[in-house]
Amino acid sequence: MPVLPEGRYRAESPEGFPPSLSRKGLPQMVVKATLTHRHIGEQDIAIEDTERRMYWSLVEKYRDFTREKLEALGFDGKMTNPGFSVKEFYVDVKHGQGDDGSIFERVDIARDGSGEPLTAEDINALAVWWETRATAKAAAPPEPDPTDGLKF
């Protein structure tokens, strides 16, 4: 399967599969979509229909992100036979590089913000949160060396 150029694509006909385990043995949701157009500037240019799968983690840490993505597609909540009410949506294709140097695709639903600016109060609250986080991290004792005491 050829690697698609990075960018935004129009997709349709999402198809879900019951939750499964990833290669690492973690729960995931897989959604297949047919990419039909490449979005360039303000235009959608037809491409040969290309199927791609999106893999979304269901571990506790990422469930809210996955829930938002599923809701954006109109997920019906049926885990054993997932269905979606949205028939057309956009995905972003990005490239990654494997340990062996090979290029792979990361395909995910396109999620743009509303564009609404944050209030000054919200920005200040985020700045305080960030500074508190950075200060706590700097004050934390160094992690012990896991090789201490090991004989090689």
Side-chain angles (χ1 to χ4, degrees), residues 23-103:
R23 285 187 219 148
K24 294 181 179 180
L26 302 172
Q28 68 179 0
M29 189 75 154
V30 179
V31 176
K32 180 174 73 174
T34 302
L35 283 54
T36 60
H37 293 75
R38 183 163 184 210
H39 186 75
I40 299 176
E42 297 297 316
Q43 296 182 1
D44 285 345
I45 299 165
I47 62 170
E48 184 176 332
D49 286 3
T50 306
E51 287 187 351
R52 289 296 188 267
R53 292 175 188 233
M54 297 172 282
Y55 300 88
W56 298 330
S57 178
L58 291 172
V59 297
E60 188 72 33
K61 181 177 178 180
Y62 298 112
R63 281 187 191 159
D64 286 341
F65 295 115
T66 297
R67 179 187 44 77
E68 288 174 12
K69 294 172 188 183
L70 292 169
E71 286 176 351
L73 294 178
F75 177 53
D76 63 10
K78 298 176 183 172
M79 287 291 181
T80 56
N81 187 20
F84 302 94
S85 60
V86 171
K87 299 302 174 204
E88 191 173 273
F89 58 101
Y90 286 90
V91 299
D92 289 325
V93 174
K94 296 182 180 173
H95 294 162
Q97 187 169 8
D99 294 336
D100 63 356
S102 62
I103 302 296

